Amino acid sequence: MADGILGYPFRRLFWSPTVYRDWSGSAALMDWIESANSHTFKVNVPGFAKEDIKVQIEDGNILHIRGEGAKEELPGKDAAWHIAERGANRSGFSREIELPEHVKVDQIKAQVENGVLTVVVPKDASPKPSRVRNVNITSKL
């Protein structure tokens, strides 16, 4: 009965943290894992180079993850498409997540490995105001 009126997926709208998903034709699927010390975000970014991914904190608590570029050359006019599932002409993706209070935005780390972007946001016992800033993506966390 608990899943009756407010069943999946509606239950998540009321009890989950705010996650904004700008649909741009990219899957950019994400996992959000919370531990005692941090929040970890894992985002599928297949086909995107480290240089094509931007991770920023905006408005003090919005984690904004963008994938830009990654366009492929389209086949000529004489080519016949049989299946088009990969989004060969994709322009990128964008995900915005409202971070919870009490995180250390100045200590965020990001890494891309095997088509997965991992962003680690450490928790903080005393929150501090932050500014818009870029997060450098490294090879290893």
Side-chain angles (χ1 to χ4, degrees):
M1 181 70 181
D3 286 335
I5 296 172
L6 296 177
Y8 179 84
F10 302 107
R11 177 179 58 222
R12 296 195 65 197
L13 294 174
F14 297 102
W15 288 295
S16 290
T18 308
V19 176
Y20 305 98
R21 182 176 182 167
D22 294 336
W23 183 254
S24 61
S26 171
L29 301 174
M30 180 180 74
D31 293 336
W32 180 347
I33 305 111
E34 181 178 358
S35 69
N37 300 321
S38 66
H39 293 272
T40 301
F41 301 90
K42 293 187 176 244
V43 183
N44 288 350
V45 293
F48 287 89
K50 177 177 105 172
E51 298 77 25
D52 296 331
I53 300 170
K54 307 293 182 233
V55 179
Q56 295 181 314
I57 299 296
E58 298 174 351
D59 299 326
N61 70 332
I62 305 296
L63 176 64
H64 193 170
I65 302 168
R66 267 183 221 110
E68 300 169 348
K71 290 187 179 184
E72 292 182 22
E73 187 175 319
L74 295 174
K77 292 184 180 185
D78 60 337
W81 286 80
H82 293 281
I83 299 174
E85 296 176 340
R86 297 183 327 111
N89 197 23
R90 68 180 183 237
S91 61
F93 68 89
S94 178
R95 298 292 305 255
E96 293 182 358
I97 303 103
E98 182 178 341
L99 294 173
E101 293 182 15
H102 311 295
V103 295
K104 297 177 182 179
V105 295
D106 59 332
Q107 294 180 18
I108 294 174
K109 296 189 188 232
Q111 162 190 340
V112 177
E113 187 175 347
N114 297 325
V116 177
L117 170 68
T118 302
V119 180
V120 178
V121 182
K123 290 183 176 179
D124 188 359
S126 58
K128 298 171 182 72
S130 64
R131 59 194 183 285
V132 173
R133 67 179 196 86
N134 292 321
V135 176
N136 291 325
I137 301 173
T138 62
S139 297
K140 297 287 181 190
L141 287 178

